[in-house]
Amino acid sequence: MALAEQVAERQQTLVALNRRAAARDRELIGHREVLATYGYHGDPDAVRAVLPLASYDLSAGFGLTGPLWEAEHGGQDFSAYAGEPLVAVADGVVTEVAYAGPYGLRTILTLPDGTEVWYCHQTDATVVVGQEVALTDVIGSVGSTGNSTGPHLHLEVRPAAGSPVDPMEWLRDRGLEP
Ligand SMILES: [Zn+2]
């Protein structure tokens, strides 16, 4: 093969490699943007959790007592517009989608370590029991079903499917600033 041909061939290979790298960058930037939308700004390969909503106002915190709750408030409330998409905070499997009295329409996501994440008062759910979801996948939307005075997400985090812990701490431990 003539030297000129060899050079031309090598040039084409480089162009193809660059195109592939650019496509990979675009994919990665897209992924980064989605993670950032849900509050994660770190290394995409190291992500463990994201926030359940892209936009919200924090309302009632964990552990409060008052006339609204039979016992201590077992979760964190995120006020948001009705219909706002709720996303999986981590990879897991859907283990319940049902109306649950004061919790309204509730979806339970069970993580690989056995932690349950409860999404309560939903308007609707877009997942079914047994479905595997990845973090940032939409699972339903914000509502005001059950014992609720306005559209909001009541989020509970229950390690080993036991007593609830403060979702804010759980999220902060995963590099998020809710
Ligand atoms: Zn609540």
Side-chain angles (χ1 to χ4, degrees):
M1 198 189 290
L3 183 60
E5 276 175 11
Q6 278 178 33
V7 167
E9 202 165 86
R10 189 173 148 66
Q11 201 66 37
Q12 276 174 4
T13 306
L14 279 174
V15 166
L17 280 175
N18 281 338
R19 260 195 218 123
R20 234 174 290 155
R24 191 181 169 276
D25 281 353
R26 270 199 305 278
E27 228 166 73
L28 204 60
I29 288 163
H31 185 44
R32 262 181 211 280
E33 273 174 6
V34 172
L35 293 175
T37 300
Y38 295 102
Y40 183 82
H41 302 282
D43 176 1
D45 293 332
V47 64
R48 294 167 65 204
V50 294
L51 300 176
L53 283 157
S55 98
Y56 57 83
D57 285 315
L58 292 174
S59 42
F62 177 80
L64 294 176
T65 53
L68 275 178
W69 306 293
E70 286 176 24
E72 279 192 357
H73 189 223
Q76 172 68 47
D77 289 348
F78 297 80
S79 289
Y81 292 112
E84 190 80 10
L86 297 165
V87 300
V89 293
D91 297 346
V93 60
V94 177
T95 50
E96 188 191 293
V97 180
Y99 282 89
Y103 295 109
L105 179 58
R106 176 178 67 184
T107 298
I108 298 180
L109 186 60
T110 301
L111 311 187
D113 69 357
T115 300
E116 285 186 354
V117 180
W118 293 11
Y119 297 79
C120 305
H121 311 304
Q122 291 173 243
T123 293
D124 58 31
T126 54
V127 290
V128 294
V129 171
Q131 189 174 333
E132 285 185 21
V133 293
L135 51 78
T136 74
D137 282 354
V138 173
I139 60 132
S141 68
V142 171
S144 191
T145 55
N147 185 8
S148 168
T149 56
H152 74 285
L153 166 67
H154 169 94
L155 183 78
E156 293 202 9
V157 175
R158 294 174 171 253
S163 300
V165 297
D166 187 348
M168 298 292 276
E169 274 178 28
W170 190 86
L171 292 166
R172 284 194 197 105
D173 283 349
R174 284 154 184 78
L176 300 160
E177 291 166 30

